[in-house]
Amino acid sequence: MPQVPPQPEPEEHLPPQPGPDPEVEAEPKEEPPQAPKPSLDGATSALQDATLRIEGTDEALLRACDGTLRGPGQLAHGRYDLLIRWPDGEEHLEALELSPGARVTVHVDERDRSCVVRTA
Amino acid sequence: MSEAQLAPQWQDWIVDNALAGVDAPELIETLVEGGVPEALARSEVSAILASPGLRAARKLNRRVDRRDALLGLLQTLERGHGRGIERVEGLSGDEFYARYVRHAQPVVLTDVARDWPAVSKWTPEYLGQVLGATKLQICEGRDQLEHPDRDYSRCVSTTTMAEYAAKVRAAGVTNDLYMIANNRVAEQPEFAPLFDDVGLDERYLTPKRACSFWFGPAGTRTPLHHDSCNILFCQLRGQKRFRMLAPWSARLADAAVGYYAGETLEQAIAAGERGYEVVLEPGEALYLPGWWWHEVLALDLSVSLSFLNFREPTTIELRGADATED
């Protein structure tokens, strides 16, 4: 008998996505949003992992010592370089150490070119 | 007075959501909640659900879903192997093809160009002397453009290598000035003597050379993009930083504009992609498999050659309209 793994929620159960205002022979105000797709990333969780949130920019990433680049979210504890790209393309580097189980938030202010790291 | 019609974007919305599995009553309900007259909502939904276009789209959607699942599998496997980007020396040709090329796995080869005379000789002054009168197309004013690489034709001009080398020397750190990509300078007869300074690594490459020449100031940045063939990128002067993403992301592929990503590398990583960074030193080479996304930054004044003449070539070109968007 073939093995049947657990199935993800079928997209058929998704509610319809909201659309733009209806118009009569006129251009709508905005594009309708797309239905989300399920993620196939089988990320594992561990008690030792830290959780990192970055606020104020989507132009930031973390570089681990092996050169792997990650985004915010659940990360193995350890040392990282926090790399922020300012709007003019200049890059900012800040050392960041995530301790086991830490919940860290980085607040970035692109106008002041500043970032504040807070650990809960 | 004209008869009420549903705006085209609402029609697209019906198609998108029908393809996502939403049934007719829910579609009609949402349309009505959005202010569409019920009779119009019913007739439009009915017409679209019965249309041959939607039937064809459903078939295509099933094929795309299956390919997305396969890409997801590849992405999971790639994230799980944990190899990162290795730096290796003394790799035989057989090992190179078995461990890296046939697995579409980048690798830094630290000894490919280490002993080439070009590593010490190819200064801007030397290039300006040897190739002085060689015609060259360059881009100046890249900083004025939102997409300087995609829209390179808006700032292109012709100069000589002597003039360009002088500009690069004087430029300092900038992304405003660069040679155009695919410049074919290395194919010009004037370039031939320079290949006396370049070795041929027969472990990896065939004698029939196919290569591109890259020379520009520190600060030159090529945005996130992919190529359609494998590349051996040899760094000859200065450091160059590569940031890469594996090609298995359906989300990135869907948002691509021709060969360019529809977002920055930071945005892609924030959205969950995993990236890799390597800094190439002079004398090192990066094997970059085709379709790997990469963003390149010159950390110093930089001179490089990229080779395409692999013993086992792999080229997968984009087909159709997407290939011509840029």
Side-chain angles (χ1 to χ4, degrees):
Chain A
M1 285 286 289
Q3 297 296 302
V4 181
Q7 299 297 305
E9 283 294 307
E11 288 187 337
E12 283 74 7
H13 292 167
L14 291 171
Q17 301 298 300
D21 294 336
E23 302 202 3
V24 178
E25 294 181 329
E27 289 299 308
K29 289 171 183 154
E30 58 188 65
E31 286 188 19
Q34 302 295 308
K37 298 252 180 187
S39 169
L40 292 168
D41 182 8
T44 56
S45 62
L47 291 174
Q48 296 289 295
D49 285 353
T51 305
L52 178 79
R53 206 152 58 104
I54 298 177
E55 296 175 346
T57 183
D58 57 0
E59 295 288 339
L61 50 85
L62 292 142
R63 181 176 58 201
C65 54
D66 64 356
T68 308
L69 303 171
R70 307 283 179 86
Q74 191 169 303
L75 294 156
H77 66 89
R79 290 183 181 175
Y80 294 88
D81 289 328
L82 171 64
L83 305 160
I84 300 168
R85 189 185 302 189
W86 303 121
D88 66 357
E90 195 175 317
E91 293 180 5
H92 174 78
L93 184 151
E94 188 143 328
L96 191 66
E97 179 147 12
L98 300 178
S99 53
R103 304 178 80 81
V104 177
T105 304
V106 179
H107 299 269
V108 176
D109 189 326
E110 290 187 336
R111 286 170 305 175
D112 296 346
R113 295 193 173 212
S114 63
C115 72
V116 177
V117 180
R118 292 202 181 102
T119 304
Chain B
M1 193 174 135
S2 63
E3 195 176 333
Q5 292 182 347
L6 196 62
Q9 275 77 357
W10 264 120
Q11 293 172 328
D12 291 351
W13 174 89
I14 295 172
V15 172
D16 287 343
N17 283 277
L19 288 174
V22 179
D23 61 17
E26 280 189 282
L27 291 171
I28 292 165
E29 188 183 334
T30 306
L31 285 164
V32 171
E33 283 173 3
V36 177
E38 184 170 345
L40 179 61
R42 286 185 181 284
S43 67
E44 287 282 348
V45 168
S46 174
I48 287 173
L49 293 186
S51 68
L54 188 71
R55 285 200 299 277
R58 282 192 202 280
K59 280 185 194 170
L60 194 57
N61 210 35
R62 281 194 290 274
R63 292 169 58 189
V64 170
D65 281 348
R66 190 167 281 264
R67 280 157 181 74
D68 281 357
L70 286 170
L71 283 173
L73 171 64
L74 288 169
Q75 198 168 29
T76 303
L77 293 172
E78 184 268 328
R79 287 177 178 181
H81 69 46
R83 286 167 72 177
I85 309 296
E86 297 170 6
R87 302 180 88 88
V88 298
E89 183 173 346
L91 193 68
S92 72
D94 288 345
E95 285 176 305
F96 172 64
Y97 281 94
R99 287 170 55 185
Y100 301 101
V101 177
R102 292 175 203 145
H103 292 274
Q105 172 66 33
V107 62
V108 176
L109 304 162
T110 58
D111 59 348
V112 166
R114 192 171 53 197
D115 300 325
W116 293 359
V119 172
S120 57
K121 287 172 70 177
W122 286 16
T123 63
E125 295 80 1
Y126 180 78
L127 295 170
Q129 286 166 13
V130 176
L131 298 174
T134 303
K135 295 284 187 196
L136 185 70
Q137 283 194 304
I138 64 167
C139 293
E140 272 187 292
R142 285 162 49 92
D143 284 344
Q144 307 303 314
L145 302 176
E146 187 181 359
H147 302 293
D149 290 79
R150 269 160 50 181
D151 301 336
Y152 76 94
S153 59
R154 291 169 58 189
C155 60
V156 73
S157 60
T158 302
T159 185
T160 63
M161 180 61 87
E163 287 177 8
Y164 178 66
K167 285 184 181 197
V168 170
R169 280 204 310 272
V173 180
T174 180
N175 190 35
D176 197 52
L177 170 73
Y178 200 32
M179 297 172 68
I180 65 164
N182 301 315
N183 51 68
R184 309 182 87 89
V185 169
E187 294 175 10
Q188 296 187 36
E190 297 94 322
F191 206 96
L194 281 178
F195 280 113
D196 293 342
D197 301 331
V198 174
L200 169 68
D201 201 321
E202 291 181 326
R203 292 175 294 178
Y204 316 131
L205 301 175
T206 62
K208 190 174 180 185
R209 185 187 304 117
C211 82
S212 297
F213 175 70
W214 310 91
F215 168 36
T220 304
R221 184 188 294 275
T222 306
L224 194 61
H225 70 286
H226 71 79
D227 302 303
S228 57
C229 56
N230 300 340
I231 290 171
L232 189 67
F233 192 94
C234 297
Q235 186 62 15
L236 302 175
R237 185 159 207 89
Q239 290 182 318
K240 211 156 207 185
R241 186 187 75 190
F242 283 75
R243 287 180 173 168
M244 296 164 277
L245 304 168
W248 320 124
S249 165
R251 194 187 60 81
L252 267 175
D254 287 347
V257 182
Y259 289 94
Y260 290 92
E263 57 194 57
T264 64
L265 179 127
E266 283 84 352
Q267 290 166 337
I269 287 175
E273 309 299 338
R274 182 177 299 179
Y276 303 94
E277 176 180 298
V278 296
V279 175
L280 284 188
E281 304 287 341
E284 293 185 333
L286 171 67
Y287 167 66
L288 186 61
W291 290 76
W292 269 71
W293 296 100
H294 53 287
E295 174 208 86
V296 189
L297 176 68
L299 301 177
D300 305 305
L301 185 152
S302 174
V303 183
S304 327
L305 285 173
S306 58
F307 294 86
L308 311 179
N309 44 309
F310 289 91
R311 279 174 22 203
E312 296 178 14
T314 308
T315 298
I316 304 171
E317 299 285 0
L318 279 174
R319 289 186 301 166
D322 200 31
T324 58
E325 277 183 12
D326 58 332

